[in-house]
Amino acid sequence: MYTFSKNLKTFAIVLMVLGLLGIAYGFFSAPKDLDEVKQILTEQAHHGDGGHHVSADAHSDADFEHHAEHVYGQLKNKPWTALYVGSIFVMFVSLGILVFHGINYAASAGWSPVLFRVMEGLSAYLLPGSIIFFLILLASVLGGNHLFIWADDAVVAKDAIIQGKVGYLNVPFFIVRALIFLGGWNLYRVYMRKQSLALDATGDLVYHKKMFKASAGFLAFFIVTESMASWDWIMSIDTHWYSTLFGWYVFASFFVTAITTIAFVTLYLKNKGYLDFVNTSHIHDLAKFMFGLSIFWTYLWFSQFMLQWYSNIPEEVTYFIFRIQEYNLPFFGMLVLNFILPLLLLINTDFKRLTWIVVMAGVCIIIGHYIDFFLMIAPGTVGGSWFIGVEEIGSLMFFIGLFIFVGFNAISKAPLLAKNNPLIEESKHFHY
Amino acid sequence: MSSHYEAPIRKPLVIGEKTYHDITVDVARPVEGRANKLWWRVFAIALIAFLWGVGSMAYTVGTGIGTWGLNKTVGWAWDITNFVWWVGIGHAGTLISAVLLLFRQKWRMAINRSAEAMTIFSVVQAGLFPIIHMGRPWLGYWVLPLPNQFGSLWVNFNSPLLWDVFAISTYLSVSLVFWWTGLLPDFAMLRDRAITPFTKRVYSILSFGWSGRAKDWQRFEEVSLVLAGLATPLVLSVHTIVSFDFATSVIPGWHTTILPPYFVAGAIFSGFAMVTTLLIIMRKVSNLEAYITIQHIELMNIIVMITGSIVGVAYITELWVAWYSGVEYEQYAFLNRATGPYWWSYWLMMTCNVISPQVMWFKKIRTNIMASFIISLIVNVGMWFERFVIIVTSLHRDYLPSSWTMFQPTFVDAGIYIGTIGFFFVLFLLYSRSFPVIAQAEVKTILKSSGEYYKKERDSKENHQSLNH
């Protein structure tokens, strides 16, 4: 049995507290009214940010007014965006862990059962994570902020394109869909955990069969709901833009992060001496998934980007033009973190067995995919007024702290070896 | 012993009390024996179809592309439909030999040889179309970036059709090398068993002097793994590049970002269906039922079901995004597919590709050989229509209503398609009588861990031990 160490618990709580402070700072430092924004803008113009800002007299007053209103909207969105990106990212990572567990179960994988308890434990975050996320979602579409412009009747009234989408993008239907997706995923998680503990206690293979069937069913449910969730929660922020690949692209992004997280926690627990039955071959396999899925993510990123860049249809290419102009460094920098570094670090077999290499590559992957999520969401909500500062990092710290707290707490609730799984012996003897 | 442990719940992959020698004999039998009447009959039919296709191709090249049913609006139809269909079928071979190798799926060993053969023979068929659909095929070599006397006139690397040239030719070469490497130990086995000097000579040449030393095996394994690691991105990229032919365009119904992964999923889907079709026949006529078992068929069916579901999700996504985009051309393209003059091909595709694989959720059906065979055929019909629907229905009605038209294939279109099917079977039938259709060297490595007899031995030993304790 694992006992949740005091140090780690304190660490998680500190993360959460600091994170909350950061989030609170974000909300307090956001401009209260238009005048404040005007003042900021004037100051920026006077301080002369190089040639970036055109001098104030080049603008007419009306232009300035309009610009200030625009920036005000973006800055009001900024703390919400920070909170939103952190919460959806970490929630999707825990969902990815659940999916990886489900795939391994449905595939009767022989290498991974020794890691099942780690995955089961970490996916416990899904429930609190989705409750918080759902509340943020609810606040967002009910007028708490301006993340989803389609939820604002005043915007919709003036926008013919959004009017055409109202059949799908309307608040009640949106909330019902979110409830179905989150509810379905959580039900599966709770069900699997229950069966897994029952299998441990009784050794009755009936529970194994039930989990196998539930996993197959869940994966079918997941592929549909995940696509729709990505359209709802991310794609609809850039309400005019659309891409058919989007759902699978989002999946690749959080799935690779999820496997990296599993690898991290496994390495941590093994270092603490709790996972004697886990050997370097298991780590090697996890690292291979990190490697392969990093390439897979890049493949989808490239497909989506290249196809819209190539055909250059104005309606859709603005999505990328804006990102390249306003988010240049994160947009291309994330390719280094998400593709080039994992590719180089993890291609060597021996390297994939070394803790520090896996950790290094993993850090790149986690940061890189956070930036990926940031890039999917922030350009549509804060536009050019973006900055990764206190509230963004605070939000990430809070959710990671909560993830550690909930995840490790759940891991400590059951033995780390799922002892009656029919494939567990194979997994214990696994050598590659 | 640790690496030989296998969980008791896993089902055996080799049925019966087979020994190493039995495997050799079973695999060598079709090669060493004589073809029966049935084989000759089927071969004759395939050959006639092939020759008919050669005639159609000669007629096309001699007379002109105008012998086909293409018109000014629909410049691509059966030619590219068949091309994509054949490339797609070829993908399962690489998937089985490379991707399943990376995922350590032992069951692939009984089917990988034939799947790779299928890959190579179908890529050969696919490779015909880019050439014969050219207006001036004798200038086909101009697609290659060769220094020349036109002041070094080069190709433009921006066209996905050029990427196709690189993709398909690389794919064929790598698949061929991968396949041949795997064949070396098996050709050596046939060489060592050969009785006549002629066969001895032939298999000596084919097996490259393989002697099976430890060092050779070690390198053999490493090469297989590296090639599998290279073939996997290759297989994804090849069909992705094929999908770029459409997705990079600005045609409504073609320009969509999901095409790359969705074409790949469709390729695995149709390719596995074709493997199922072929192996269900092969296990019967070549007496290989002990190696290609019901479990193999069931697992292939499950892959058909999974990829069929992925394709289904992609269809729904395309449909939904067409509506969501608010672009009336896009919306009309899909309305036209569902209710336009080619509605029947759209609904045929939907029924075959989305509904039929879903019956595989029932164990009764996916373990039934007849049902699997029928569904595998249905899937391939459906996947042909998928390509047809994407290509023709997007072209025949697009931006300008004044260029709307219809497409009617001619007997030459059909003749060439039938010809490639004939050519494929000519090659496959010759292969099945001269090549070891099961990778015997590989199957021998799993005999003791996954053979039915050895599994029983192990179970009874364990029971015995537990009685003593």
Side-chain angles (χ1 to χ4, degrees):
Chain A
M1 282 294 265
Y2 169 69
T3 38
F4 195 174
S5 82
K6 262 223 162 73
N7 283 340
L8 189 65
K9 202 180 269 183
T10 322
F11 175 68
I13 291 170
V14 168
L15 272 181
M16 281 192 276
V17 171
L18 286 178
L20 274 178
L21 288 175
I23 294 170
Y25 168 81
F27 279 100
F28 281 118
S29 64
K32 304 287 169 299
D33 49 29
L34 202 54
D35 291 332
E36 207 176 315
V37 177
K38 283 181 188 162
Q39 208 180 336
I40 298 171
L41 287 176
T42 330
E43 270 172 36
Q44 274 178 352
H46 283 299
H47 286 300
D49 274 8
H52 186 70
H53 288 273
V54 189
S55 61
D57 47 41
H59 288 288
S60 69
D61 281 351
D63 268 351
F64 181 72
E65 191 75 15
H66 184 72
H67 179 61
E69 257 174 57
H70 193 59
V71 173
Y72 178 47
Q74 295 180 336
L75 291 178
K76 266 200 306 187
N77 264 342
K78 195 169 177 294
W80 280 103
T81 304
L83 188 67
Y84 189 77
V85 175
S87 77
I88 196 174
F89 179 61
V90 181
M91 184 198 66
F92 266 161
V93 168
S94 71
L95 177 66
I97 294 170
L98 188 70
V99 172
F100 190 63
H101 180 252
I103 290 174
N104 275 282
Y105 223 101
S108 301
W111 69 280
S112 55
V114 292
L115 304 171
F116 279 177
R117 279 292 147 80
V118 174
M119 302 181 205
E120 279 173 22
L122 292 179
S123 59
Y125 174 81
L126 189 63
L127 186 59
S130 36
I131 290 172
I132 297 173
F133 176 73
F134 184 70
L135 292 176
I136 297 174
L137 218 50
L138 218 50
S140 302
V141 290
L142 295 179
N145 58 50
H146 219 236
L147 296 186
F148 299 95
I149 53 165
W150 55 262
D152 185 340
D153 291 337
V155 174
V156 177
K158 281 186 284 182
D159 191 321
I161 295 178
I162 300 183
Q163 280 162 19
K165 306 185 184 198
V166 162
Y168 185 80
L169 292 179
N170 60 73
V171 175
F173 190 23
F174 181 84
I175 292 171
V176 169
R177 282 199 304 270
L179 277 175
I180 293 171
F181 305 157
L182 295 168
W185 303 336
N186 276 294
L187 269 180
Y188 165 73
R189 153 88 208 354
V190 170
Y191 179 81
M192 285 294 273
R193 179 68 167 182
K194 225 175 118 194
Q195 306 304 313
S196 170
L197 294 179
L199 178 63
D200 237 29
T202 60
D204 192 342
L205 282 187
V206 169
Y207 298 108
H208 171 72
K209 284 207 178 106
K210 279 185 177 174
M211 287 166 87
F212 177 83
K213 285 189 174 163
S215 298
F218 165 71
L219 291 172
F221 175 76
F222 171 79
I223 184 177
V224 178
T225 51
E226 188 275 335
S227 291
M228 295 176 80
S230 318
W231 306 335
D232 282 8
W233 302 338
I234 307 180
M235 198 164 91
S236 82
I237 289 174
D238 291 283
T239 317
H240 286 189
W241 181 76
Y242 53 88
S243 165
T244 38
L245 181 59
F246 196 75
W248 298 357
Y249 171 71
V250 172
F251 169 67
S253 189
F254 71 73
F255 194 50
V256 66
T257 320
I259 292 166
T260 307
T261 311
I262 297 169
F264 273 19
V265 175
T266 306
L267 285 170
Y268 171 81
L269 290 172
K270 184 161 173 56
N271 263 4
K272 295 278 168 205
Y274 288 106
L275 298 174
D276 287 332
F277 38 83
V278 171
N279 57 44
T280 53
S281 294
H282 296 105
I283 305 298
H284 183 205
D285 264 29
L286 285 170
K288 273 193 276 188
F289 273 108
M290 287 160 62
F291 172 79
L293 287 167
S294 289
I295 297 171
F296 181 66
W297 172 87
T298 316
Y299 161 66
L300 294 181
W301 177 87
F302 178 76
S303 298
Q304 186 170 270
F305 172 69
M306 193 281 278
L307 289 176
Q308 301 206 332
W309 168 82
Y310 190 108
S311 52
N312 202 21
I313 296 173
E315 289 89 330
E316 52 182 35
V317 83
T318 47
Y319 182 85
F320 288 108
I321 289 178
F322 188 73
R323 278 159 177 77
I324 289 173
Q325 283 172 350
E326 298 287 337
Y327 290 75
N328 196 286
L329 179 67
F331 187 74
F332 291 109
M334 103 181 147
L335 288 180
V336 177
L337 290 171
N338 288 343
F339 175 55
I340 297 174
L341 289 174
L343 180 80
L344 296 176
L345 286 168
L346 294 176
I347 198 161
N348 186 309
T349 298
D350 298 330
F351 282 10
K352 283 193 277 271
R353 292 167 189 267
L354 296 178
T355 307
W356 67 278
I357 294 263
V358 175
V359 169
M360 243 167 55
V363 168
C364 295
I365 289 172
I366 290 175
I367 296 175
H369 287 283
Y370 172 78
I371 295 175
D372 187 21
F373 269 77
F374 185 75
L375 278 171
M376 290 186 226
I377 292 164
T381 58
V382 299
S385 311
W386 71 278
F387 183 71
I388 295 189
V390 178
E391 59 253 59
E392 282 79 11
I393 294 170
S395 155
L396 197 57
M397 276 165 73
F398 172 74
F399 288 108
I400 289 178
L402 188 66
F403 180 84
I404 294 174
F405 190 82
V406 176
F408 279 82
N409 196 41
I411 292 175
S412 72
K413 288 284 181 324
L416 275 168
L417 191 64
K419 64 176 179 194
N420 288 321
N421 186 304
L423 295 161
I424 200 82
E425 281 303 313
E426 231 179 67
S427 182
K428 272 159 66 179
H429 291 116
F430 172 64
H431 269 283
Y432 181 72
Chain B
M1 83 137 247
S2 56
S3 56
H4 288 294
Y5 180 81
E6 190 172 279
I9 60 157
R10 296 209 190 273
K11 287 181 209 135
L13 293 172
V14 180
I15 305 293
E17 292 188 27
K18 296 286 180 189
T19 61
Y20 288 143
H21 182 64
D22 293 337
I23 297 177
T24 307
V25 172
D26 290 342
V27 173
R29 190 183 302 119
V31 182
E32 290 168 348
R34 298 194 79 90
N36 59 16
K37 267 203 186 120
L38 184 66
W39 186 90
W40 281 109
R41 267 186 217 140
V42 179
F43 183 75
I45 295 169
L47 194 66
I48 291 167
F50 170 42
L51 293 174
W52 178 254
V54 171
S56 303
M57 287 179 213
Y59 178 55
T60 303
V61 175
T63 313
I65 287 288
T67 55
W68 292 1
L70 302 176
N71 54 52
K72 261 186 352 190
T73 301
V74 183
W76 273 355
W78 276 44
D79 46 353
I80 300 301
T81 301
N82 297 335
F83 164 69
V84 181
W85 188 72
W86 277 119
V87 179
I89 285 174
H91 273 50
T94 317
L95 192 99
I96 289 166
S97 50
V99 179
L100 297 186
L101 175 73
L102 295 184
F103 282 106
R104 299 190 291 259
Q105 298 297 304
K106 288 180 180 173
W107 60 277
R108 81 172 203 290
M109 290 174 181
I111 59 174
N112 60 355
R113 177 65 42 74
S114 296
E116 287 164 42
M118 187 194 76
T119 290
I120 287 159
F121 303 148
S122 50
V123 174
V124 166
Q125 308 314 320
L128 291 169
F129 288 99
I131 297 168
I132 56 164
H133 92 308
M134 288 179 176
R136 300 178 185 83
W138 49 91
L139 297 181
Y141 70 98
W142 282 14
V143 302
L144 301 174
L146 300 170
N148 53 57
Q149 290 175 318
F150 298 101
S152 264
L153 182 68
W154 284 74
V155 286
N156 185 337
F157 286 94
N158 291 343
S159 167
L161 298 183
L162 183 66
W163 308 340
D164 270 343
V165 173
F166 301 132
I168 303 293
S169 55
T170 312
Y171 186 50
L172 184 61
S173 345
V174 172
S175 301
L176 200 59
V177 171
F178 195 14
W179 188 49
W180 207 275
T181 320
L183 275 162
L184 293 179
D186 291 8
F187 278 146
M189 176 273 282
L190 289 176
R191 170 199 66 196
D192 297 343
R193 288 173 55 88
I195 312 162
T196 67
F198 175 71
T199 49
K200 186 106 191 155
R201 184 98 189 97
V202 168
Y203 289 109
S204 295
I205 293 170
L206 293 179
S207 62
F208 293 179
W210 177 265
S211 57
R213 291 173 306 166
K215 198 75 201 168
D216 298 347
W217 277 114
Q218 192 193 349
R219 286 176 179 148
F220 176 89
E221 295 273 330
E222 259 174 55
V223 164
S224 307
L225 209 54
V226 169
L227 281 178
L230 287 174
T232 303
L234 190 63
V235 75
L236 258 78
S237 69
V238 169
H239 221 62
T240 292
I241 288 170
V242 170
S243 83
F244 285 169
D245 294 348
F246 311 103
T248 53
S249 74
V250 291
I251 303 291
W254 279 12
H255 177 71
T256 173
T257 51
I258 208 169
L259 278 200
Y262 144 60
F263 261 48
V264 173
I268 300 168
F269 180 54
S270 68
F272 258 95
M274 188 62 127
V275 178
T276 312
T277 314
L278 294 174
L279 287 186
I280 283 176
I281 299 172
M282 181 176 270
R283 72 195 284 276
K284 189 86 191 156
V285 296
S286 299
N287 289 315
L288 296 170
E289 281 131 319
Y291 307 99
I292 303 165
T293 65
I294 300 286
Q295 203 202 341
H296 287 87
I297 294 171
E298 184 184 0
L299 288 165
M300 289 194 280
N301 284 335
I302 288 175
I303 291 188
V304 165
M305 177 186 86
I306 294 171
T307 48
S309 306
I310 295 175
V311 168
V313 170
Y315 287 164
I316 295 164
T317 304
E318 275 195 314
L319 213 55
W320 179 81
V321 170
W323 172 81
Y324 179 82
S325 71
V327 179
E328 55 181 340
Y329 300 107
E330 201 67 44
Q331 291 172 344
Y332 181 73
F334 282 86
L335 186 73
N336 179 44
R337 280 184 194 181
T339 61
Y342 291 108
W343 64 271
W344 50 273
S345 61
Y346 179 78
W347 291 108
L348 195 64
M349 155 193 125
M350 277 297 201
T351 317
C352 293
N353 294 350
V354 181
I355 298 167
S356 78
Q358 296 306 321
V359 301
M360 296 298 187
W361 286 94
F362 302 100
K363 197 177 174 76
K364 267 236 168 72
I365 296 180
R366 67 172 185 259
T367 51
N368 181 307
I369 294 176
M370 203 53 200
S372 309
F373 187 71
I374 293 169
I375 287 172
S376 70
L377 288 174
I378 290 176
V379 166
N380 268 316
V381 171
M383 284 308 288
W384 191 88
F385 274 99
E386 182 199 289
R387 278 68 181 247
F388 178 79
V389 166
I390 292 175
I391 294 171
V392 172
T393 65
S394 307
L395 285 178
H396 86 121
R397 287 186 176 178
D398 63 348
Y399 292 111
L400 289 177
S402 58
S403 353
W404 284 8
T405 178
M406 289 293 289
F407 166 76
Q408 194 73 53
T410 64
F411 78 96
V412 191
D413 283 301
I416 292 174
Y417 180 46
I418 292 167
T420 54
I421 295 175
F423 191 13
F424 175 82
F425 278 103
V426 165
L427 292 171
F428 199 82
L429 285 164
L430 287 174
Y431 148 82
S432 66
R433 296 226 43 88
S434 50
F435 279 48
V437 293
I438 284 182
Q440 53 91 27
E442 289 206 61
V443 171
K444 283 173 185 171
T445 65
I446 56 162
L447 177 65
K448 290 198 171 167
S449 63
S450 305
E452 189 185 25
Y453 172 72
Y454 289 93
K455 269 180 157 325
K456 270 191 196 142
E457 283 271 281
R458 234 181 359 245
D459 288 350
S460 62
K461 218 183 270 173
E462 266 163 30
N463 289 339
H464 191 65
Q465 273 171 352
S466 57
L467 282 176
N468 284 349
H469 282 295

